[in-house]
């Protein structure tokens, strides 16, 4: 241990269950339970760090699951991080680079070191990341509904609450009809986009091209999670920008996708790309190339959302983030007070020291399904 950081005296991984208000229906299926992974650190001065590895319960979005994330964080990511020389945001990211994939686990661990560092320095996470904005515009991601009427009612509700942009989940059989209805009902000024969560193939290109008529900000992840070349082929025949989500799991993935024209818009989720260090690299890449960038969401608790929000305060994020307030997803949050969307469709990025939101440790404890204390034998804890 060197560099003036107080040593980490507690390092634990927790699997917690968050009851969803209603099932989230997408192109990959129904998500009706939500377990997530938290990483908690404490240093010898009593500063706390919290991070979240928000994989889903199932492997239908990406290979990572809550279970695999808990295991990878407990047995590999956190031990490697603790054994890094002078563990801090940058050194732990480098120490965990040996791990293949398991981006959500690495992100949860790194997030805890970022917020611990902010707490120890007496600064806000946002400032540590170099963020400038104090409010960020947000949009809502609407799951697939049973009827078009239900979707129209939900869009009206969210626009009334101030949301700046609407993203509709689509899949074969639920695409042009809801998109046309929303465009017709809410007019040309509505920023509207769709997310297919990998539910189409190149054989569906004609159907996807029909969406060009609705002036969408982007079509997110139309093809399979690993279909990089196919997305480039599709983008060549679509007027609407393709946005990639599942396919982009590292800064290198983003560079490759942009180099071959597989997308013209980027959804960045810190969990999916392995953490905030990789996110900063991607933000720089997109800013350099003039690519519209926005922060996606993984139905995170307020712990994960806090990191996303701090990241969104960077100027490279040029489009509204997927960031429904926790109250839209859960009846309560693991942070309290949590954030709320203002009437102007923006959320305040806190300038509080550390994570930015007070963690309700009583709720974390009550919701914990299992936990593991990780000891760095080299550091004697
Ligand atoms: O594809 O963007 C996605 C949630 C879970 C998994 C994948 C996605 C989503 C969302 C929700 O769209 C966005 C949010 O967290 O508000
Ligand atoms: Mg998506």
């Amino acid at each position: 241990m060197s560099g003036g950081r107080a040593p980490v005296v507690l390092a634990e991984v927790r699997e917690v269950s968050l009851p969803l208000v209603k099932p989230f229906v997408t192109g990959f299926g129904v998500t009706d339970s939500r377990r997530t992974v938290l990483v908690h650190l404490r240093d010898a001065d009593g500063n706390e760090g919290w991070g979240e590895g928000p994989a889903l319960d199932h492997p239908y979005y990406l290979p990572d699951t809550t279970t695999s994330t808990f295991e990878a964080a407990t047995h590999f990511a956190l031990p490697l991080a603790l054994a890094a020389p002078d563990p801090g945001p940058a050194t732990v990211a480098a120490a965990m680079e040996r791990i293949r994939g398991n981006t959500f686990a690495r992100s949860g661990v790194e997030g805890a070191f970022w917020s611990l560092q902010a707490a120890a320095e007496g600064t806000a996470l946002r400032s540590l990341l170099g963020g400038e904005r104090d409010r960020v515009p947000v949009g809502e991601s609407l799951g697939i509904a049973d009827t078009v009427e239900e979707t129209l009612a939900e869009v009206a509700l969210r626009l009334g609450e101030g949301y700046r942009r609407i993203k509709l989940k689509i899949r074969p059989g639920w695409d042009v009809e809801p998109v046309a209805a929303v465009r017709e009902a809410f007019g040309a000024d509505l920023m509207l986009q769709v997310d297919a969560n990998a539910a189409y193939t190149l054989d569906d290109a004609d159907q996807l091209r029909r969406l060009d008529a609705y002036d969408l900000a982007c079509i997110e992840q139309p093809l399979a999670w690993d279909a990089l070349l196919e997305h480039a082929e599709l983008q060549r025949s679509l007027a609407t920008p393709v946005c990639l989500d599942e396919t982009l799991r590292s800064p290198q993935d983003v560079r490759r996708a942009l180099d071959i024209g597989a997308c013209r818009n980027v959804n960045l989720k810190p969990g999916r790309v392995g953490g905030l260090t990789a996110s900063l690299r991607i933000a720089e890449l997109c800013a350099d190339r003039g690519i519209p960038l926005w922060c996606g969401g993984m139905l995170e608790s307020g712990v994960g959302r806090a990191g996303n929000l701090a990241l969104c305060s960077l100027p490279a994020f040029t489009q509204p983030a997927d960031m429904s307030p926790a109250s839209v997803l859960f009846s309560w949050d693991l942070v309290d007070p949590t954030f709320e969307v203002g009437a102007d469709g923006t959320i305040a990025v806190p300038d509080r020291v550390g994570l930015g939101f007070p963690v309700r440790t009583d709720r974390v404890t009550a919701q914990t399904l299992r936990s593991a204390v990780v000891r760095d034998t080299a550091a004697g804890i």
Side-chain angles (χ1 to χ4, degrees):
M1 216 71 54
S2 64
R5 281 195 192 95
V8 171
V9 295
L10 171 71
E12 58 175 2
V13 184
R14 286 176 179 264
E15 180 180 327
V16 296
S17 111
L18 303 173
L20 284 172
V21 168
K22 60 173 189 181
F24 191 63
V25 184
T26 73
F28 58 70
V30 181
T31 299
D32 52 12
S33 65
R34 215 267 170 269
R35 293 175 289 122
T36 190
V37 173
L38 300 181
V39 179
H40 177 210
L41 302 172
R42 183 177 302 135
D43 74 12
D45 294 334
N47 297 303
E48 310 264 354
W50 289 91
E52 180 169 355
L56 298 182
D57 290 22
H58 51 72
Y60 309 143
Y61 165 72
L62 279 175
D64 306 62
T65 64
T66 310
T67 303
S68 70
T69 298
F70 180 91
E71 298 296 335
T74 301
H75 297 295
F76 303 103
L78 193 46
L80 282 175
L82 290 169
D86 191 22
T91 51
V92 306
M96 293 186 294
E97 262 172 22
R98 282 177 68 192
I99 298 175
R100 313 300 188 217
N102 289 285
T103 51
F104 290 92
R106 285 189 274 139
S107 163
V109 170
E110 207 200 292
F113 278 93
W114 275 98
S115 62
L116 178 68
Q117 179 72 14
E121 284 184 17
T123 188
L125 183 54
R126 154 183 139 196
S127 314
L128 201 57
L129 290 171
E132 292 169 11
R133 291 190 207 118
D134 56 8
R135 298 199 71 90
V136 298
V138 295
E140 166 71 322
S141 169
L142 300 191
I144 293 166
D146 290 333
T147 63
V148 169
E149 291 66 41
E150 239 177 272
T151 295
L152 293 175
E154 175 98 359
V155 173
L157 175 71
R158 298 310 168 207
L159 294 180
E161 288 174 355
Y163 288 96
R164 295 280 186 95
R165 177 275 274 153
I166 293 295
K167 164 169 137 181
L168 298 178
K169 292 289 190 178
I170 60 166
R171 67 180 168 200
W174 180 266
D175 45 35
V176 174
E177 195 193 351
V179 166
V182 169
R183 183 54 90 204
E184 157 92 2
F186 299 95
D189 287 346
L190 170 66
M191 184 178 181
L192 181 64
Q193 62 196 59
V194 295
D195 184 359
N197 283 113
Y200 295 82
T201 71
L202 276 178
D203 291 342
D204 302 310
D206 287 343
Q207 179 68 4
L208 292 169
R209 270 191 293 274
R210 291 180 64 199
L211 293 169
D212 277 343
Y214 301 97
D215 190 27
L216 300 177
C218 63
I219 299 178
E220 184 177 336
Q221 198 70 39
L223 310 178
W225 67 293
D226 54 354
L228 182 66
L229 292 176
E230 291 84 345
H231 278 103
E233 185 175 338
L234 179 68
Q235 178 68 93
R236 282 195 287 276
S237 73
L238 273 184
T240 307
V242 168
C243 169
L244 289 176
D245 173 357
E246 285 89 324
T247 301
L248 306 177
R249 302 203 291 158
S250 67
Q252 295 85 337
D253 283 349
V254 177
R255 187 183 46 72
R256 281 186 207 108
L258 295 178
D259 282 352
I260 68 164
C263 65
R264 296 185 190 146
N265 183 296
V266 170
N267 169 336
L268 169 47
K269 301 176 181 178
R272 196 197 64 223
V273 302
L276 291 168
T277 301
S279 299
L280 292 174
R281 276 195 213 123
I282 292 169
E284 201 183 332
L285 185 63
C286 290
D288 283 352
R289 301 204 186 183
I291 296 294
L293 174 69
W294 52 285
C295 182
M298 283 299 299
L299 313 175
E300 294 95 341
S301 78
V303 173
R305 294 286 213 218
N308 293 0
L309 207 48
L311 185 66
C312 288
S313 68
L314 289 159
F317 289 80
T318 54
Q319 295 188 346
D322 263 352
M323 207 163 317
S324 329
S327 59
V328 173
L329 305 172
F330 318 110
S331 28
W332 41 263
D333 198 357
L334 297 177
V335 301
D336 190 16
T338 186
F339 47 84
E340 290 297 338
V341 62
D344 65 346
T346 65
I347 294 180
V349 188
D351 55 10
R352 272 186 228 112
V353 167
L355 183 70
F357 294 92
V359 176
R360 281 286 299 261
T361 48
D362 56 333
R363 289 183 189 159
V364 170
T365 302
Q367 295 305 122
T368 295
L369 299 171
R370 58 174 169 156
S371 62
V373 172
V374 175
R375 283 166 221 285
D376 169 18
T377 45
I381 65 167

